[in-house]
Every structure is written in structure tokens, then in C-alpha cells.
Amino acid sequence: MQKRLVINNELGLHLRPAGELCTLAMEFESKITIHFRDREFNAKSLLSVLSACVQSGDEIVMEFDGLDEEEAAARISAFIDGMR
């Protein structure tokens, strides 16, 4: 399952929201991957998420693969949509 999401936080995925995203992603058994600029990043790894250098207004594709992928997609999408 994939979701296209736009980062609305004016600072992008900097340390605090990246850490919160990783903490949330680790709650799920599913593999969660961020696709950005033809690269893949592990959403459960803070260093991986930070290395993506996602800025405000950037569109990312989140991929969810596993038994709890629907719940993971819903909760992570809500988290990203709520970042301001």
C-alpha cells in the first residue's frame, strides 16, 4: 500500500518531527519506507529519515507492507497531515 503525502511543516522533516515519525513507525510490524527523489529511506531509522532531507512542500510516497499496513498508513498519514 502506498500513500502520497505533502510535507506542510515549514521546516520540513527536521529532527523533532523526524524523531516523532520514527517513534510512530516503530509501533507497527509493517515495513515502512519513504520514497523521495528516486531513493528509499527506512521510516523506522532516524538517520535514514534525516538523510532524506525532506523540505516543506516536498511530496513523498510512503510505502506500507505488512499485516498492520492499513492502520500504519492511516496513523502516519494523519501525523504527517497534522504537522504544522
Side-chain angles (χ1 to χ4, degrees):
M1 161 182 285
Q2 291 187 341
K3 292 256 186 180
R4 290 188 176 278
L5 301 164
V6 175
I7 303 302
N8 293 316
N9 182 340
E10 67 181 36
L11 299 175
L13 277 180
H14 62 90
L15 185 58
R16 184 189 49 76
E20 291 173 359
L21 173 62
C22 291
T23 299
L24 179 58
M26 285 188 282
E27 292 180 17
F28 302 99
E29 290 183 29
S30 292
K31 178 180 178 185
I32 303 171
T33 307
I34 299 169
H35 297 272
F36 181 62
R37 294 188 179 156
D38 298 322
R39 294 183 59 204
E40 293 184 358
F41 304 91
N42 179 357
K44 296 182 181 184
S45 164
L46 180 58
L47 290 177
S48 184
V49 174
L50 289 173
S51 71
C53 299
V54 179
Q55 302 297 314
S56 180
D58 286 341
E59 182 181 77
I60 61 173
V61 175
M62 298 283 301
E63 183 176 358
F64 305 88
D65 184 27
L67 295 174
D68 56 0
E69 66 186 26
E70 290 184 20
E71 182 184 358
R75 290 192 46 212
I76 289 176
S77 295
F79 169 77
I80 290 177
D81 288 343
M83 288 187 343
R84 301 284 175 222

